Amino acid sequence: MSFHYFAGHAYRALTARKDGPSLYDVCDPVLAGPVTGDPHLAKFYKTALGNPALRMLLNRAGLPELRDEARLGRLREALRRAREDQEPDWAAVGAPVADLVDSIDLDHPRPPKIAFNRDAPALSVIDSVIRDCAHHLLRSYRESGFLPTYAAFNLIGDPDFRGRELIMALTGLNARGYKNSSLLFNLARVFIARSSARGIIHPPWKGIAEPMWEPVQIRHRSAYYDAFFIEALLSYVETGLASPADAAAAKGAIDDMVDFCINISREEVKAQDGRRFDVITALAPAPHPRFSRFFAQIKQDLGFGVYVPDCDTTACSFSAATQAGSRDPILDQPLLDFYEGYQVRAGTNEPRVTVPLNDNIDYEGGVATWIDNVKGERPYGNDLDPTLNLDILEVSFRNLARWKVLETPARLATVHRIIAFQKRLAESGAFANPRSHIYYLPELYSAYFGRCYAAYLALPLAAQQAIDPNGAFDLIRTRVLSYVQGEMLAGEINVFDAALALIALGHLGADVRTFAPALNCIVTELGEGGRRGPFRAYEWNKMKTPTRILVGGPEVTSAFVLMGLALARKAMTGRM
């Protein structure tokens, strides 16, 4: 977006006619004065929503329905109850905010259909972009001592998060600070979405994955991110394009990131049957996440004081370490024994999913996200994401012999039930619905299915037959390819969309002629990242609570472009 675009929207926001009480007219009488009751609610309000820049932007954003004194009074009373009650009735507290959230008009991107150049770029051009991305990663690692990723708040929230989902979050999350932040962020998003400030906080973009153009981005490190950076550098070395110096630098970075994933980020927990397992936490203890002192305090103030391990970070870290050739004893643990305790069985442990934001899908056979730490803390309640379950399958295939999956009926049954969960998603078409996903986009699900499918195809035929006797993977492959080729690549895309498409197409054995739209998008947009890298930062994954939090970064884009181009190159040169 141009300077004129933002200047115009800022002018309209600052000069708009105020049509009812603003966010600050609602909240200041309750939260801006002397603190009583729960101190976090007022602290969050002053830190996140009461900052001068946002206050100036939203000062004239009023809601006409709040001119009704009775309705305004109910809203303020809900805030008082959230602040004062020792055990608030969160459904009642959230009700007046939920009503307002339902007045927001938001939708997912719908890229226009366009005609693509069907001639693929020359292999030499593809090789050049691969080297650019790899050099960006190696340079960034050399300068920072790690590969950074960034988080950015989009205050307008997620299109699938409505009033109903707010009540789900307030009643299903455990940590009070997280409930507080969810309540106030959702109140604020109403004033943003229904005012001229919307154009500044939520400008339009090209493609599907959202660019991260918010001015405040929180740099940090996580084992989950390192796992994919490992895969990207491994794919670079595998292309044969790396010089001896680059190959050595990549190996050094990979070794360090493997250590970060399975040692520094290791945490012991209890399985549901009482056994002890070592799993991987998404945020290792300080100073390892590399937050600045300022953002470390902000993280605490926003209600993210306790961060627990999760099933996805554990699966991806184990997979990356396995691919890198690690022999650490942690990898000998049969993770499927642990995941079985978090696998949903209809009618028995369904309440394990306490925040069912994607209850349009059938959870039977899926594994929930968050792992109780050794103290039994569960700040985020629990949810269930389809893409996470692909990662569990992928790491299980890579460790099939080590974990004796085929020889252990309970482990094989766990795999079968996850595959059945994925098959239902494909048969119904739900995988292509953004609402079905908690932390990802359907486009990323498609790429991650390709990754999972490739690990499946690498198994002996007898093992493939034992794992998938009913041909579920072929069915899912057909549906995913149809989505990527017939929907995703039929419309306008950006670089991150293109990278995800190539990863899906490459792993799923698509005709190389279908690669052209994605390849041309990447080559055309090379340099869009300016001084920060070859490409811009885009949405890799997200959180829907307490508001829409995007995670990605220029390094992330380079990593996924590198992986997508490496796969395309392999197919185009007949090396698949």
PDB file of all heavy atoms in Angstrom, residues 215-244:
ATOM      1  N   PRO A 215       3.435  -2.385  11.815  1.00  0.00           N
ATOM      2  CA  PRO A 215       4.691  -1.720  12.160  1.00  0.00           C
ATOM      3  C   PRO A 215       5.420  -2.349  13.339  1.00  0.00           C
ATOM      4  O   PRO A 215       6.630  -2.205  13.455  1.00  0.00           O
ATOM      5  CB  PRO A 215       4.250  -0.294  12.498  1.00  0.00           C
ATOM      6  CG  PRO A 215       2.807  -0.403  12.824  1.00  0.00           C
ATOM      7  CD  PRO A 215       2.272  -1.518  11.992  1.00  0.00           C
ATOM      8  N   VAL A 216       4.696  -3.036  14.237  1.00  0.00           N
ATOM      9  CA  VAL A 216       5.349  -3.645  15.402  1.00  0.00           C
ATOM     10  C   VAL A 216       5.353  -5.146  15.224  1.00  0.00           C
ATOM     11  O   VAL A 216       4.302  -5.785  15.202  1.00  0.00           O
ATOM     12  CB  VAL A 216       4.630  -3.260  16.709  1.00  0.00           C
ATOM     13  CG1 VAL A 216       5.310  -3.929  17.900  1.00  0.00           C
ATOM     14  CG2 VAL A 216       4.612  -1.755  16.896  1.00  0.00           C
ATOM     15  N   GLN A 217       6.528  -5.716  15.074  1.00  0.00           N
ATOM     16  CA  GLN A 217       6.672  -7.154  14.929  1.00  0.00           C
ATOM     17  C   GLN A 217       7.624  -7.660  16.008  1.00  0.00           C
ATOM     18  O   GLN A 217       8.680  -7.072  16.253  1.00  0.00           O
ATOM     19  CB  GLN A 217       7.178  -7.516  13.538  1.00  0.00           C
ATOM     20  CG  GLN A 217       6.211  -7.118  12.437  1.00  0.00           C
ATOM     21  CD  GLN A 217       6.672  -7.560  11.064  1.00  0.00           C
ATOM     22  OE1 GLN A 217       7.704  -8.190  10.922  1.00  0.00           O
ATOM     23  NE2 GLN A 217       5.903  -7.221  10.041  1.00  0.00           N
ATOM     24  N   ILE A 218       7.249  -8.769  16.643  1.00  0.00           N
ATOM     25  CA  ILE A 218       7.995  -9.299  17.779  1.00  0.00           C
ATOM     26  C   ILE A 218       8.917 -10.411  17.294  1.00  0.00           C
ATOM     27  O   ILE A 218       8.453 -11.491  16.899  1.00  0.00           O
ATOM     28  CB  ILE A 218       7.037  -9.819  18.861  1.00  0.00           C
ATOM     29  CG1 ILE A 218       6.057  -8.712  19.274  1.00  0.00           C
ATOM     30  CG2 ILE A 218       7.814 -10.332  20.068  1.00  0.00           C
ATOM     31  CD1 ILE A 218       4.962  -9.171  20.199  1.00  0.00           C
ATOM     32  N   ARG A 219      10.207 -10.154  17.302  1.00  0.00           N
ATOM     33  CA  ARG A 219      11.181 -11.151  16.860  1.00  0.00           C
ATOM     34  C   ARG A 219      11.386 -12.198  17.948  1.00  0.00           C
ATOM     35  O   ARG A 219      11.511 -11.860  19.132  1.00  0.00           O
ATOM     36  CB  ARG A 219      12.512 -10.463  16.552  1.00  0.00           C
ATOM     37  CG  ARG A 219      13.534 -11.391  15.901  1.00  0.00           C
ATOM     38  CD  ARG A 219      14.816 -10.670  15.611  1.00  0.00           C
ATOM     39  NE  ARG A 219      15.653 -10.586  16.795  1.00  0.00           N
ATOM     40  CZ  ARG A 219      16.965 -10.411  16.777  1.00  0.00           C
ATOM     41  NH1 ARG A 219      17.588 -10.263  15.620  1.00  0.00           N
ATOM     42  NH2 ARG A 219      17.659 -10.325  17.876  1.00  0.00           N
ATOM     43  N   HIS A 220      11.413 -13.479  17.566  1.00  0.00           N
ATOM     44  CA  HIS A 220      11.628 -14.526  18.546  1.00  0.00           C
ATOM     45  C   HIS A 220      12.098 -15.805  17.854  1.00  0.00           C
ATOM     46  O   HIS A 220      12.147 -15.896  16.636  1.00  0.00           O
ATOM     47  CB  HIS A 220      10.363 -14.797  19.363  1.00  0.00           C
ATOM     48  CG  HIS A 220       9.179 -15.232  18.564  1.00  0.00           C
ATOM     49  ND1 HIS A 220       8.601 -14.459  17.582  1.00  0.00           N
ATOM     50  CD2 HIS A 220       8.442 -16.373  18.596  1.00  0.00           C
ATOM     51  CE1 HIS A 220       7.578 -15.086  17.058  1.00  0.00           C
ATOM     52  NE2 HIS A 220       7.458 -16.268  17.651  1.00  0.00           N
ATOM     53  N   ARG A 221      12.438 -16.780  18.695  1.00  0.00           N
ATOM     54  CA  ARG A 221      12.920 -18.079  18.197  1.00  0.00           C
ATOM     55  C   ARG A 221      12.096 -19.192  18.827  1.00  0.00           C
ATOM     56  O   ARG A 221      11.740 -19.137  19.995  1.00  0.00           O
ATOM     57  CB  ARG A 221      14.394 -18.276  18.558  1.00  0.00           C
ATOM     58  CG  ARG A 221      15.005 -19.571  18.005  1.00  0.00           C
ATOM     59  CD  ARG A 221      16.459 -19.728  18.403  1.00  0.00           C
ATOM     60  NE  ARG A 221      17.096 -20.803  17.642  1.00  0.00           N
ATOM     61  CZ  ARG A 221      18.366 -21.202  17.792  1.00  0.00           C
ATOM     62  NH1 ARG A 221      19.127 -20.604  18.708  1.00  0.00           N
ATOM     63  NH2 ARG A 221      18.869 -22.187  17.069  1.00  0.00           N
ATOM     64  N   SER A 222      11.788 -20.210  18.046  1.00  0.00           N
ATOM     65  CA  SER A 222      11.024 -21.345  18.540  1.00  0.00           C
ATOM     66  C   SER A 222      11.528 -22.616  17.873  1.00  0.00           C
ATOM     67  O   SER A 222      11.970 -22.593  16.714  1.00  0.00           O
ATOM     68  CB  SER A 222       9.534 -21.162  18.248  1.00  0.00           C
ATOM     69  OG  SER A 222       8.823 -22.365  18.385  1.00  0.00           O
ATOM     70  N   ALA A 223      11.432 -23.729  18.583  1.00  0.00           N
ATOM     71  CA  ALA A 223      11.807 -25.015  18.005  1.00  0.00           C
ATOM     72  C   ALA A 223      10.957 -25.345  16.784  1.00  0.00           C
ATOM     73  O   ALA A 223      11.429 -25.974  15.832  1.00  0.00           O
ATOM     74  CB  ALA A 223      11.674 -26.114  19.058  1.00  0.00           C
ATOM     75  N   TYR A 224       9.689 -24.950  16.807  1.00  0.00           N
ATOM     76  CA  TYR A 224       8.821 -25.216  15.659  1.00  0.00           C
ATOM     77  C   TYR A 224       9.384 -24.553  14.401  1.00  0.00           C
ATOM     78  O   TYR A 224       9.419 -25.163  13.327  1.00  0.00           O
ATOM     79  CB  TYR A 224       7.412 -24.698  15.942  1.00  0.00           C
ATOM     80  CG  TYR A 224       6.449 -24.941  14.803  1.00  0.00           C
ATOM     81  CD1 TYR A 224       5.902 -26.196  14.594  1.00  0.00           C
ATOM     82  CD2 TYR A 224       6.104 -23.914  13.925  1.00  0.00           C
ATOM     83  CE1 TYR A 224       5.027 -26.430  13.543  1.00  0.00           C
ATOM     84  CE2 TYR A 224       5.231 -24.138  12.879  1.00  0.00           C
ATOM     85  CZ  TYR A 224       4.688 -25.399  12.688  1.00  0.00           C
ATOM     86  OH  TYR A 224       3.841 -25.620  11.642  1.00  0.00           O
ATOM     87  N   TYR A 225       9.833 -23.325  14.525  1.00  0.00           N
ATOM     88  CA  TYR A 225      10.394 -22.618  13.369  1.00  0.00           C
ATOM     89  C   TYR A 225      11.725 -23.239  12.952  1.00  0.00           C
ATOM     90  O   TYR A 225      11.979 -23.448  11.765  1.00  0.00           O
ATOM     91  CB  TYR A 225      10.610 -21.137  13.679  1.00  0.00           C
ATOM     92  CG  TYR A 225       9.476 -20.449  14.385  1.00  0.00           C
ATOM     93  CD1 TYR A 225       9.714 -19.414  15.285  1.00  0.00           C
ATOM     94  CD2 TYR A 225       8.154 -20.822  14.167  1.00  0.00           C
ATOM     95  CE1 TYR A 225       8.680 -18.769  15.935  1.00  0.00           C
ATOM     96  CE2 TYR A 225       7.108 -20.183  14.817  1.00  0.00           C
ATOM     97  CZ  TYR A 225       7.379 -19.170  15.705  1.00  0.00           C
ATOM     98  OH  TYR A 225       6.351 -18.538  16.359  1.00  0.00           O
ATOM     99  N   ASP A 226      12.573 -23.525  13.944  1.00  0.00           N
ATOM    100  CA  ASP A 226      13.866 -24.106  13.625  1.00  0.00           C
ATOM    101  C   ASP A 226      13.720 -25.421  12.864  1.00  0.00           C
ATOM    102  O   ASP A 226      14.522 -25.744  11.984  1.00  0.00           O
ATOM    103  CB  ASP A 226      14.674 -24.339  14.909  1.00  0.00           C
ATOM    104  CG  ASP A 226      15.454 -23.103  15.337  1.00  0.00           C
ATOM    105  OD1 ASP A 226      15.088 -21.991  14.912  1.00  0.00           O
ATOM    106  OD2 ASP A 226      16.428 -23.252  16.099  1.00  0.00           O
ATOM    107  N   ALA A 227      12.689 -26.199  13.187  1.00  0.00           N
ATOM    108  CA  ALA A 227      12.481 -27.486  12.512  1.00  0.00           C
ATOM    109  C   ALA A 227      12.316 -27.280  11.009  1.00  0.00           C
ATOM    110  O   ALA A 227      12.870 -28.046  10.197  1.00  0.00           O
ATOM    111  CB  ALA A 227      11.271 -28.197  13.097  1.00  0.00           C
ATOM    112  N   PHE A 228      11.574 -26.259  10.607  1.00  0.00           N
ATOM    113  CA  PHE A 228      11.370 -26.030   9.182  1.00  0.00           C
ATOM    114  C   PHE A 228      12.573 -25.344   8.538  1.00  0.00           C
ATOM    115  O   PHE A 228      12.848 -25.562   7.349  1.00  0.00           O
ATOM    116  CB  PHE A 228      10.079 -25.255   8.960  1.00  0.00           C
ATOM    117  CG  PHE A 228       8.869 -26.134   9.107  1.00  0.00           C
ATOM    118  CD1 PHE A 228       8.255 -26.281  10.340  1.00  0.00           C
ATOM    119  CD2 PHE A 228       8.398 -26.876   8.038  1.00  0.00           C
ATOM    120  CE1 PHE A 228       7.167 -27.118  10.488  1.00  0.00           C
ATOM    121  CE2 PHE A 228       7.313 -27.713   8.174  1.00  0.00           C
ATOM    122  CZ  PHE A 228       6.690 -27.845   9.413  1.00  0.00           C
ATOM    123  N   PHE A 229      13.283 -24.545   9.288  1.00  0.00           N
ATOM    124  CA  PHE A 229      14.533 -23.997   8.750  1.00  0.00           C
ATOM    125  C   PHE A 229      15.539 -25.123   8.493  1.00  0.00           C
ATOM    126  O   PHE A 229      16.305 -25.078   7.523  1.00  0.00           O
ATOM    127  CB  PHE A 229      15.121 -22.968   9.716  1.00  0.00           C
ATOM    128  CG  PHE A 229      14.360 -21.662   9.763  1.00  0.00           C
ATOM    129  CD1 PHE A 229      14.059 -21.067  10.981  1.00  0.00           C
ATOM    130  CD2 PHE A 229      13.954 -21.030   8.602  1.00  0.00           C
ATOM    131  CE1 PHE A 229      13.367 -19.864  11.045  1.00  0.00           C
ATOM    132  CE2 PHE A 229      13.258 -19.815   8.650  1.00  0.00           C
ATOM    133  CZ  PHE A 229      12.964 -19.240   9.871  1.00  0.00           C
ATOM    134  N   ILE A 230      15.550 -26.129   9.367  1.00  0.00           N
ATOM    135  CA  ILE A 230      16.408 -27.296   9.141  1.00  0.00           C
ATOM    136  C   ILE A 230      16.047 -27.954   7.818  1.00  0.00           C
ATOM    137  O   ILE A 230      16.920 -28.263   6.992  1.00  0.00           O
ATOM    138  CB  ILE A 230      16.264 -28.303  10.309  1.00  0.00           C
ATOM    139  CG1 ILE A 230      16.908 -27.758  11.583  1.00  0.00           C
ATOM    140  CG2 ILE A 230      16.895 -29.652   9.943  1.00  0.00           C
ATOM    141  CD1 ILE A 230      16.569 -28.550  12.834  1.00  0.00           C
ATOM    142  N   GLU A 231      14.755 -28.183   7.588  1.00  0.00           N
ATOM    143  CA  GLU A 231      14.325 -28.834   6.347  1.00  0.00           C
ATOM    144  C   GLU A 231      14.703 -28.000   5.127  1.00  0.00           C
ATOM    145  O   GLU A 231      15.087 -28.538   4.084  1.00  0.00           O
ATOM    146  CB  GLU A 231      12.820 -29.086   6.380  1.00  0.00           C
ATOM    147  CG  GLU A 231      12.410 -30.161   7.380  1.00  0.00           C
ATOM    148  CD  GLU A 231      10.978 -30.623   7.182  1.00  0.00           C
ATOM    149  OE1 GLU A 231      10.389 -30.359   6.108  1.00  0.00           O
ATOM    150  OE2 GLU A 231      10.444 -31.268   8.105  1.00  0.00           O
ATOM    151  N   ALA A 232      14.595 -26.675   5.251  1.00  0.00           N
ATOM    152  CA  ALA A 232      14.943 -25.811   4.121  1.00  0.00           C
ATOM    153  C   ALA A 232      16.424 -25.923   3.779  1.00  0.00           C
ATOM    154  O   ALA A 232      16.792 -26.052   2.601  1.00  0.00           O
ATOM    155  CB  ALA A 232      14.568 -24.366   4.441  1.00  0.00           C
ATOM    156  N   LEU A 233      17.282 -25.875   4.784  1.00  0.00           N
ATOM    157  CA  LEU A 233      18.720 -25.962   4.515  1.00  0.00           C
ATOM    158  C   LEU A 233      19.116 -27.353   4.031  1.00  0.00           C
ATOM    159  O   LEU A 233      20.016 -27.488   3.189  1.00  0.00           O
ATOM    160  CB  LEU A 233      19.508 -25.569   5.774  1.00  0.00           C
ATOM    161  CG  LEU A 233      19.418 -24.085   6.146  1.00  0.00           C
ATOM    162  CD1 LEU A 233      20.185 -23.805   7.436  1.00  0.00           C
ATOM    163  CD2 LEU A 233      19.950 -23.193   5.022  1.00  0.00           C
ATOM    164  N   LEU A 234      18.457 -28.381   4.538  1.00  0.00           N
ATOM    165  CA  LEU A 234      18.706 -29.728   4.020  1.00  0.00           C
ATOM    166  C   LEU A 234      18.335 -29.811   2.545  1.00  0.00           C
ATOM    167  O   LEU A 234      19.044 -30.426   1.738  1.00  0.00           O
ATOM    168  CB  LEU A 234      17.910 -30.763   4.820  1.00  0.00           C
ATOM    169  CG  LEU A 234      18.425 -31.098   6.226  1.00  0.00           C
ATOM    170  CD1 LEU A 234      17.418 -31.973   6.965  1.00  0.00           C
ATOM    171  CD2 LEU A 234      19.782 -31.796   6.171  1.00  0.00           C
ATOM    172  N   SER A 235      17.218 -29.177   2.167  1.00  0.00           N
ATOM    173  CA  SER A 235      16.804 -29.219   0.761  1.00  0.00           C
ATOM    174  C   SER A 235      17.784 -28.458  -0.122  1.00  0.00           C
ATOM    175  O   SER A 235      18.014 -28.835  -1.281  1.00  0.00           O
ATOM    176  CB  SER A 235      15.381 -28.679   0.605  1.00  0.00           C
ATOM    177  OG  SER A 235      15.328 -27.277   0.810  1.00  0.00           O
ATOM    178  N   TYR A 236      18.390 -27.380   0.415  1.00  0.00           N
ATOM    179  CA  TYR A 236      19.390 -26.628  -0.340  1.00  0.00           C
ATOM    180  C   TYR A 236      20.610 -27.491  -0.622  1.00  0.00           C
ATOM    181  O   TYR A 236      21.075 -27.581  -1.768  1.00  0.00           O
ATOM    182  CB  TYR A 236      19.783 -25.380   0.434  1.00  0.00           C
ATOM    183  CG  TYR A 236      20.901 -24.567  -0.184  1.00  0.00           C
ATOM    184  CD1 TYR A 236      20.874 -24.208  -1.528  1.00  0.00           C
ATOM    185  CD2 TYR A 236      21.998 -24.161   0.579  1.00  0.00           C
ATOM    186  CE1 TYR A 236      21.895 -23.459  -2.107  1.00  0.00           C
ATOM    187  CE2 TYR A 236      23.016 -23.402   0.017  1.00  0.00           C
ATOM    188  CZ  TYR A 236      22.968 -23.059  -1.323  1.00  0.00           C
ATOM    189  OH  TYR A 236      23.978 -22.312  -1.874  1.00  0.00           O
ATOM    190  N   VAL A 237      21.093 -28.153   0.393  1.00  0.00           N
ATOM    191  CA  VAL A 237      22.265 -29.014   0.213  1.00  0.00           C
ATOM    192  C   VAL A 237      21.951 -30.127  -0.785  1.00  0.00           C
ATOM    193  O   VAL A 237      22.780 -30.483  -1.637  1.00  0.00           O
ATOM    194  CB  VAL A 237      22.725 -29.591   1.568  1.00  0.00           C
ATOM    195  CG1 VAL A 237      23.847 -30.610   1.364  1.00  0.00           C
ATOM    196  CG2 VAL A 237      23.190 -28.470   2.497  1.00  0.00           C
ATOM    197  N   GLU A 238      20.748 -30.659  -0.719  1.00  0.00           N
ATOM    198  CA  GLU A 238      20.352 -31.765  -1.594  1.00  0.00           C
ATOM    199  C   GLU A 238      20.293 -31.352  -3.059  1.00  0.00           C
ATOM    200  O   GLU A 238      20.487 -32.177  -3.954  1.00  0.00           O
ATOM    201  CB  GLU A 238      18.982 -32.293  -1.163  1.00  0.00           C
ATOM    202  CG  GLU A 238      18.548 -33.550  -1.903  1.00  0.00           C
ATOM    203  CD  GLU A 238      17.155 -34.000  -1.480  1.00  0.00           C
ATOM    204  OE1 GLU A 238      16.941 -34.206  -0.276  1.00  0.00           O
ATOM    205  OE2 GLU A 238      16.288 -34.144  -2.369  1.00  0.00           O
ATOM    206  N   THR A 239      20.049 -30.060  -3.354  1.00  0.00           N
ATOM    207  CA  THR A 239      19.992 -29.619  -4.750  1.00  0.00           C
ATOM    208  C   THR A 239      21.343 -29.723  -5.448  1.00  0.00           C
ATOM    209  O   THR A 239      21.408 -29.753  -6.677  1.00  0.00           O
ATOM    210  CB  THR A 239      19.528 -28.151  -4.860  1.00  0.00           C
ATOM    211  OG1 THR A 239      20.483 -27.299  -4.208  1.00  0.00           O
ATOM    212  CG2 THR A 239      18.149 -27.967  -4.268  1.00  0.00           C
ATOM    213  N   GLY A 240      22.434 -29.739  -4.677  1.00  0.00           N
ATOM    214  CA  GLY A 240      23.764 -29.732  -5.271  1.00  0.00           C
ATOM    215  C   GLY A 240      24.224 -28.345  -5.685  1.00  0.00           C
ATOM    216  O   GLY A 240      25.306 -28.197  -6.274  1.00  0.00           O
ATOM    217  N   LEU A 241      23.431 -27.315  -5.371  1.00  0.00           N
ATOM    218  CA  LEU A 241      23.780 -25.943  -5.760  1.00  0.00           C
ATOM    219  C   LEU A 241      24.679 -25.250  -4.743  1.00  0.00           C
ATOM    220  O   LEU A 241      25.206 -24.169  -5.018  1.00  0.00           O
ATOM    221  CB  LEU A 241      22.505 -25.122  -5.938  1.00  0.00           C
ATOM    222  CG  LEU A 241      21.559 -25.574  -7.063  1.00  0.00           C
ATOM    223  CD1 LEU A 241      20.278 -24.747  -7.029  1.00  0.00           C
ATOM    224  CD2 LEU A 241      22.243 -25.461  -8.418  1.00  0.00           C
ATOM    225  N   ALA A 242      24.815 -25.839  -3.557  1.00  0.00           N
ATOM    226  CA  ALA A 242      25.597 -25.190  -2.504  1.00  0.00           C
ATOM    227  C   ALA A 242      27.091 -25.345  -2.765  1.00  0.00           C
ATOM    228  O   ALA A 242      27.568 -26.443  -3.098  1.00  0.00           O
ATOM    229  CB  ALA A 242      25.242 -25.802  -1.150  1.00  0.00           C
ATOM    230  N   SER A 243      27.813 -24.244  -2.617  1.00  0.00           N
ATOM    231  CA  SER A 243      29.272 -24.316  -2.681  1.00  0.00           C
ATOM    232  C   SER A 243      29.775 -25.070  -1.446  1.00  0.00           C
ATOM    233  O   SER A 243      29.030 -25.239  -0.468  1.00  0.00           O
ATOM    234  CB  SER A 243      29.854 -22.902  -2.698  1.00  0.00           C
ATOM    235  OG  SER A 243      29.619 -22.268  -1.450  1.00  0.00           O
ATOM    236  N   PRO A 244      31.024 -25.516  -1.439  1.00  0.00           N
ATOM    237  CA  PRO A 244      31.547 -26.176  -0.234  1.00  0.00           C
ATOM    238  C   PRO A 244      31.414 -25.307   1.019  1.00  0.00           C
ATOM    239  O   PRO A 244      31.078 -25.817   2.102  1.00  0.00           O
ATOM    240  CB  PRO A 244      33.019 -26.444  -0.587  1.00  0.00           C
ATOM    241  CG  PRO A 244      33.013 -26.571  -2.078  1.00  0.00           C
ATOM    242  CD  PRO A 244      31.984 -25.593  -2.559  1.00  0.00           C
TER     243      PRO A 244
END
